[in-house]
Amino acid sequence: MISFTLIVLIAVILGLIWKLLDLRSELREQVQENDELRKRGSDFVANVSHELKTPLTSIKGYTETLKGMISKDPEKAREFLTKIEENSERLSSLINDILDLSKIESPNIHLEVEKFSVQPLLDEIRDQFVHRLSQRQQRLVINSEVEELAADRKLVDQALSNLIENAHRYCPEGALIEVVATKTSEAGHSYSLFEVIDNGPGISQGDLPRIFERFYRADKSRNRLSGGTGLGLAIVKHIMVSHGGLVRASSEKGRGSRFSLFFPS
Ligand SMILES: Nc1ncnc2c1ncn2[C@@H]1O[C@H](COP(=O)(O)OP(=O)(O)OP(=O)(O)O)[C@@H](O)[C@H]1O
Ligand SMILES: [Mg+2]
């Protein structure tokens, strides 16, 4: 049984390495543009390498040790398999995030813009989260006065889901998470404004300007344990930029956070 699981895991790891090779060629294309882009690209490669090496080293270490202990200590072997599984999941979600980000950052990105009804999308998002939120007694309250939006529906879903995921992850049990959609205007431009507001721990003024950077985590030790890779908000930012919109975050440490997505309308 355990050796079957091992074979499956090795197949998963090979799949991940295949994805990585894909990613490397995408990155190479990205790094060609100009000096500034090249600099950003190499920082990105350094960060990616660092982030990928940690779970890969764990997987390698646990697999090696497992080989020698499968028949001797099945209990310990099961524990190590769980570690391998957790690290594979971490790698897999990291790779998916990196691929999403490189797609959305690409200058040739093609948005599937369509006019869609907002309420059904918000209902789908609620359904997606309801179970996980209830496990931590967190409440999600959604209020929308925006009926229709012209945008890439999948990307709007992804941006809102990333923000709700963060609120869920970083707020304690019993927190209140609100999604509010309104029409607004600023400096002569009209926007459909989607906000995700929570009453959790908030983000310090020092961290706030940096949270949209790739791989930036406000509280590194806590986030490593809870599995964040620091790419979610970078993806949200690029989704907004690709729509000609903008994203803002405001927060007071200890008093919750507010993320505002402005879609031009
Ligand atoms: N609602 C929130 N409340 C408190 N801190 C937050 C909130 N949202 C984001 N943060 C902080 O901002 C950091 C960056 O968030 P981001 O979504 O980019 O990365 P992540 O959640 O760590 O990883 P990923 O989204 O890639 O799994 C988080 O690590 C967290 O410290
Ligand atoms: Mg996140």
Side-chain angles (χ1 to χ4, degrees), residues 97 166 169-170 198 203 216-218 223 228-233 257:
D97 277 359
N166 278 349
R169 190 187 282 171
Y170 302 115
D198 68 58
I203 300 162
Y216 193 83
R217 303 177 184 97
N223 297 334
T229 56
L231 287 173
L233 289 177
S257 313

Side-chain angles (χ1 to χ4, degrees), residues 9-73:
L9 275 167
I10 289 166
V12 168
I13 292 165
L14 285 177
L16 287 172
I17 290 170
W18 184 254
K19 263 193 160 184
L20 266 180
L21 291 176
D22 248 15
L23 171 67
R24 261 183 51 181
S25 61
E26 266 192 61
L27 276 176
R28 275 214 191 98
E29 282 169 26
Q30 204 189 321
V31 176
Q32 279 165 1
E33 302 234 336
N34 57 29
D35 275 1
E36 222 248 306
L37 263 184
R38 209 167 286 143
K39 166 84 176 68
R40 275 208 289 143
S42 60
D43 283 354
F44 186 42
V45 174
N47 275 322
V48 169
S49 312
H50 173 76
E51 293 295 331
L52 289 173
K53 271 182 192 155
T54 316
L56 263 179
T57 309
S58 298
I59 289 174
K60 240 176 107 190
Y62 285 119
T63 315
E64 285 286 305
T65 322
L66 252 183
K67 274 194 208 151
M69 64 191 302
I70 287 177
S71 51
K72 277 185 250 155
D73 191 346

